[in-house]
Amino acid sequence: MFYKSISAVVAMTLASSAWAETDLPFALDWKFEGPSAPYFHALDAGYFATADLNVTISEGSGSLDAIPKVATGAFPVGFADINSLMRFLDQNPGAPVTAVMIVYDKPPFAVVGRKSLGVEAPADLEGKVLGAPPPDGAWAQFPIFAAETGIDADAITVEPVGFPTREPMLAEGNVAAITGFSFSSTLNLKRLGVPDDDISVLLMADYGVDLYGNAIIVNTDFAAANPEIITGFLSAVGLGWKDAIATPDAAIAALMERNPAADAALETERLQMAIDANVLTDFVAENGMGTIDADRMASAIEQTKSVYEFTTEPDAALYFDGSYLPTDGSLMLK
């Protein structure tokens, strides 16, 4: 009877452990807006719970924001610009952080201007004032954009601005253009009353900038010790995006639960812009979400080298590790 009781206790303990959820804080790059809806949908749909994960999602303050949070271990997973990650690792060699899943296969880095202020093409920026937040991922890539388009960057007056004042300054005509994410700046300007036909969006990827965009990043020490947790997390993220593509309204409903002050119609449009221009590219439709093309990554590194002096020779293996990507079909979006 004694041994039977011990066996029962052990069995109950093992069952309890098997069902215990792992707490996993997730650091976003920005506020709770349309493109973050798939993560909240994955939460509400139980995709994270199915992977035995208790995920909490925190907003960020720019493309660079999540990188040090994850590198220090404060957050095991985050969402950040992979190009900024390259520079961070160059400046902080050996930092335990890398990208494991590309989300924005086509980056949303853009220069957004107003036609009424004379900005419709890259060359129009010369002689104008450009508003750029210093921590902005798009601003970090602007030198590549300038080099690829042949514009004279010295002929542009750059006004450092804060994220909260960026679109208002353009709406008020205090600057002629701004750097930012295409879907964020465009929709923010529309919310501020700027007519849609007065907004010009120069997506850097359409002008020779051959970079990837934001990715899921991980603390490499945590990931190495918990590979199944990372793979489960990425699978849930993929399912969240897959549902958001099929039924964006459901994803936006999950977002509105966390940000009830948001405009649901505007955030639905923002999400759809991200899906159409940045997430569901031809490459992703064919190969699934998350992975990279080695030749394109090599080209992206060369472009970065043209405007940034690495202290050590860049190595793609430091910036992206695809070994945690799930193979269960959760990343096939179509």
Side-chain angles (χ1 to χ4, degrees):
M1 186 70 177
F2 174 77
Y3 291 104
K4 182 177 181 181
S5 298
I6 289 293
S7 298
V9 169
V10 170
M12 290 174 63
T13 301
L14 290 174
S16 175
S17 299
W19 287 102
E21 290 186 339
T22 299
D23 292 335
L24 198 69
F26 176 39
L28 291 179
D29 63 327
W30 194 234
K31 301 173 184 177
F32 294 169
E33 295 183 339
S36 61
Y39 310 113
F40 294 115
H41 173 73
L43 197 61
D44 290 353
Y47 297 144
F48 291 125
T50 298
D52 293 334
L53 300 176
N54 177 33
V55 174
T56 53
I57 303 174
S58 299
E59 67 178 24
S61 58
S63 298
L64 313 178
D65 187 57
I67 298 173
K69 291 178 179 177
V70 173
T72 60
F75 286 79
V77 289
F79 185 59
D81 168 36
I82 193 172
N83 308 287
S84 300
L85 175 66
M86 290 184 199
R87 302 182 192 203
F88 178 86
L89 286 170
D90 184 59
Q91 296 158 16
N92 301 272
V97 57
T98 194
V100 293
M101 176 180 175
I102 299 293
V103 176
Y104 296 153
D105 183 62
K106 185 175 183 181
F109 309 134
V111 174
V112 181
R114 290 182 60 183
K115 298 175 184 177
S116 60
L117 297 176
V119 177
E120 295 191 52
D124 296 335
L125 294 169
E126 296 180 4
K128 304 291 196 312
V129 179
L130 174 70
D136 178 39
W139 168 242
Q141 314 316 325
F142 185 80
I144 300 175
F145 171 75
E148 290 294 323
T149 55
I151 59 178
D152 182 2
D154 292 335
I156 302 169
T157 300
V158 179
E159 178 74 24
V161 299
F163 285 117
T165 59
R166 174 176 52 187
E167 286 84 14
M169 288 186 71
L170 181 54
E172 293 164 7
N174 295 322
V175 296
I178 55 176
T179 62
F181 278 15
S182 52
F183 49 72
S184 291
S185 291
T186 301
L187 272 298
N188 291 346
L189 287 169
K190 289 177 67 172
R191 189 181 62 218
L192 291 168
V194 179
D196 190 47
D197 59 5
D198 188 31
I199 301 172
S200 58
V201 180
L202 309 179
L203 198 64
M204 294 183 186
D206 292 337
Y207 291 91
V209 178
D210 198 18
L211 305 178
Y212 284 98
N214 278 39
I216 302 295
I217 62 173
V218 299
N219 180 281
T220 53
D221 293 338
F222 179 90
N226 303 278
E228 72 290 342
I229 288 177
I230 298 302
T231 297
F233 177 80
L234 298 182
S235 180
V237 166
L239 292 172
W241 274 101
K242 190 170 188 175
D243 286 358
I245 290 168
T247 54
D249 287 349
I252 292 300
L255 172 73
M256 296 301 294
E257 286 290 319
R258 281 78 180 183
N259 186 7
D263 182 322
L266 198 71
E267 297 310 327
T268 300
E269 186 177 359
R270 198 190 310 270
L271 171 61
Q272 195 63 54
M273 286 179 67
I275 291 169
D276 294 342
N278 311 115
V279 177
L280 191 55
T281 63
D282 291 342
F283 178 85
V284 170
E286 181 177 349
N287 299 283
M289 189 180 194
T291 191
I292 62 169
D293 175 82
D295 290 340
R296 178 181 166 191
M297 188 64 174
S299 176
I301 290 173
E302 287 303 310
Q303 285 193 334
T304 302
K305 285 172 65 176
S306 72
V307 297
Y308 174 79
E309 186 175 351
F310 284 89
T311 58
T312 58
E313 185 62 23
D315 180 0
L318 294 175
Y319 317 133
F320 182 81
D321 181 355
S323 66
Y324 298 99
L325 290 171
T327 56
D328 59 0
S330 57
L331 301 186
M332 298 304 298
L333 302 186
K334 296 200 80 172

